[in-house]
Amino acid sequence: MIVTVTLNAALDLTYRVPSLTPHTTHRVTEVSERAGGKGVNVARVLAALGHTVTVTGFAGGATGRTLREHLTRTPGLVDALRPVEGATRRTLAVVDARTGDTTQLNEPGPSVSSAEWSGFLAAYEELVGGSGVTAVALCGSLPPGVPVGAYALLVRAARAARVPVLLDTSGEPLRRGVAARPDLVKPNAEELAELTGAHEPSRATRDARRRGAHAVVASLGADGLLAVTPEGTWRATPPAAVRGNPTGAGDSAVAGLLSGLVEGLHWPDRLARAVALSAATVAAPAAGEFDRSVYDDVLPKVTVSGKAPAA
């Protein structure tokens, strides 16, 4: 069983409009609604790949109830979200059908009390310390009230339980979380530059690993992934850019990396799966889904270059 943590879960709304023009009224041609937040998106893709996933984090209010209803309708997902008094946030993605561009509006999330955070931390330690947990993914932003070092605490708890842990966040939570020595971090280029101060991906990725992460996989958008690990350094690139909605593509890459880890795949195969899933998510209508036909088409065409260190 894989555990995904989404401390700032969301109800994702996607609007599709013929053309997005500022200062005008728009007629929405298509609306979709689903449970979201980075860890929830990761969990949905993992479940589609055949894994059983426990989803934890916070949920509250009418929005939180709707989010949990969506989770119960997804085979392979187990709802272990903790209740909070505040209301779960909403995110709104507006997709311009003419250009394919997406405009994202994200609410901040509920204010979490110290008692609610302490209750979650105790439940999380019990969950990852139990039998059958094969990996943990810590994903996304922190809601108001949660301490900035929250992910560092959760990384240490997973390591104490000898469970591999992946961290995907940004800013100060990422800096503190990396120092707790997670097994893998997956920043994008902007997050990596903010963490290290370096804008050249190879240098920045190596620097991020020196800060404490066992392995670092940098997401470079349409240019694929760059991985620096104890087993070697690799670059994985898709055969061509895929047009569509990029929201959730990074989350699908996390699912590919995490599923490859628990299945014991070698790094090149993990990276190829992650790139193909990312491309297939861009082609799908909403975050947390992927187009299976695009995935099957792209996977054998992903180029993975690099090598393991000499024995």
Side-chain angles (χ1 to χ4, degrees):
M1 176 184 69
I2 299 173
V3 174
T4 67
V5 175
T6 313
L7 297 177
N8 208 6
L11 185 66
D12 286 346
L13 302 173
T14 302
Y15 289 174
R16 184 173 292 273
V17 298
S19 178
L20 183 61
T21 306
H23 315 300
T24 64
T25 299
H26 296 80
R27 184 176 297 278
V28 177
T29 59
E30 183 180 336
V31 180
S32 66
E33 175 188 271
R34 67 198 62 248
K38 292 181 72 64
V40 174
N41 292 338
V42 171
R44 188 182 294 109
V45 175
L46 286 168
L49 293 172
H51 293 273
T52 299
V53 189
T54 293
V55 177
T56 190
F58 297 114
T63 309
R65 288 192 295 273
T66 302
L67 183 152
R68 300 183 85 160
E69 289 170 2
H70 280 288
L71 291 181
T72 62
R73 297 197 291 267
T74 306
L77 298 188
V78 178
D79 177 5
L81 291 167
R82 299 277 300 179
V84 290
E85 186 174 348
T88 293
R89 66 186 179 130
R90 294 161 297 182
T91 68
L92 175 62
V94 182
V95 181
D96 185 323
R98 179 177 58 85
T99 65
D101 293 336
T102 300
T103 299
Q104 191 84 16
L105 303 173
N106 296 336
E107 296 179 357
S111 182
V112 177
S113 70
S114 58
E116 288 167 340
W117 167 245
S118 296
F120 170 82
L121 187 57
Y124 169 82
E125 290 173 344
E126 182 178 356
L127 180 61
V128 299
S131 61
V133 176
T134 54
V136 174
L138 309 173
C139 303
S141 61
L142 301 179
V146 172
V148 71
Y151 282 134
L153 292 174
L154 301 183
V155 168
R156 292 188 186 105
R159 287 180 55 82
R162 300 183 183 277
V163 176
V165 56
L166 181 153
L167 177 62
D168 183 15
T169 187
S170 61
E172 186 65 12
L174 174 61
R175 189 184 70 81
R176 297 196 186 194
V178 166
R181 304 187 66 80
D183 295 271
L184 175 61
V185 294
K186 205 273 325 153
N188 61 33
E190 181 179 346
E191 293 161 351
L192 193 61
E194 183 181 4
L195 173 67
T196 65
H199 293 270
E200 198 286 311
S202 296
R203 177 181 176 184
T205 307
R206 291 193 300 270
D207 188 14
R209 185 164 178 257
R210 284 194 294 269
R211 291 168 183 259
H214 187 69
V216 179
V217 177
S219 178
L220 306 178
D223 293 329
L225 299 173
L226 173 64
V228 178
T229 82
E231 290 79 26
T233 299
W234 290 273
R235 182 74 174 264
T237 56
V242 177
R243 184 180 175 184
N245 180 5
T247 306
D251 304 332
S252 291
V254 168
L257 295 169
L258 205 60
S259 63
L261 184 155
V262 300
E263 293 171 27
L265 299 183
H266 295 299
W267 270 107
D269 295 325
R270 296 186 208 178
L271 295 168
R273 176 183 290 181
V275 167
L277 283 171
S278 182
T281 297
V282 172
E289 295 183 350
F290 65 95
D291 187 311
R292 179 73 68 168
S293 63
V294 172
Y295 172 71
D296 291 338
D297 178 64
V298 170
L299 181 59
K301 300 175 183 176
V302 175
T303 300
V304 182
S305 58
K307 62 181 179 179

